[in-house]
Amino acid sequence: KAAELNLTCRIEYIHDQHLPTLLKACKGVVTINSTTALQAFYHRAPVKVLGDAFFDMPGLTCVKPLNEFWLDPGVSNETFTDQFKAYLLDHGQINGSFYTELYMTVNNLIAHLKKLRAI
C-alpha cells in the first residue's frame, strides 16, 4: 500500500523497539486508540488520534486533520498533559512499567491498594 501511495520513503515498519527511546526522538505519533499515546504524552510528543480513544480531546491531542498534522504536529499543552497524567495515576492506573525493576511496579501497586484500604 505504501508504494501505491508513493510513501515508501516516508514509512518504516519496525517492531520490538524500545518505545521511550523512539518517543523522545519522534516529531509526532499517529494512533487509533493505543496506550502508546499515553507514553507519547509523557515524552511530550504531539499525538493525532484516528479512532475513538478516551484521551482524544483538544489540548491533549491534535484536532487538525491528518494532512495538517503531518506538516505541523504542533506542541502538546504541557499543563493539561500533566493534569491528565496526574488524574490517570490517581484514578485509573497504577504507575508501573516493563522497563523498570519489578519491585518498583509492585511497590506502587501495594501503595495503591493501601490507599484504597484494600489491604
Side-chain angles (χ1 to χ4, degrees):
K1 193 68 174 180
E4 291 174 25
L5 298 171
N6 197 27
L7 295 174
T8 53
C9 64
R10 297 178 65 186
I11 296 175
E12 295 283 337
Y13 172 77
I14 60 173
H15 60 89
D16 296 334
Q17 300 297 308
H18 186 250
L19 187 58
T21 300
L22 296 173
L23 292 171
K24 288 175 189 174
C26 79
K27 294 180 181 176
V29 173
V30 176
T31 186
I32 296 174
N33 62 354
S34 172
T35 55
T36 298
L38 301 177
Q39 282 293 307
F41 299 147
Y42 177 79
H43 293 288
R44 307 287 190 218
V47 174
K48 174 66 182 165
V49 178
L50 300 180
D52 293 319
F54 74 93
F55 50 78
D56 188 17
M57 60 187 86
L60 197 56
T61 60
C62 180
V63 296
K64 297 187 256 184
L66 181 61
N67 60 339
E68 291 179 31
F69 179 80
W70 289 129
L71 298 172
D72 179 18
V75 295
S76 63
N77 179 325
E78 291 186 18
T79 301
F80 187 54
T81 300
D82 290 344
Q83 291 170 340
F84 181 74
K85 179 184 172 190
Y87 179 85
L88 284 181
L89 289 172
D90 195 43
H91 292 78
Q93 295 189 344
I94 297 167
N95 193 11
S97 173
F98 290 112
Y99 303 110
T100 61
E101 297 293 327
L102 178 60
Y103 76 90
M104 294 171 72
T105 299
V106 172
N107 287 347
N108 288 336
L109 173 61
I110 291 168
H112 183 73
L113 291 173
K114 285 182 179 178
K115 181 178 173 184
L116 297 175
R117 299 177 192 245
I119 59 170

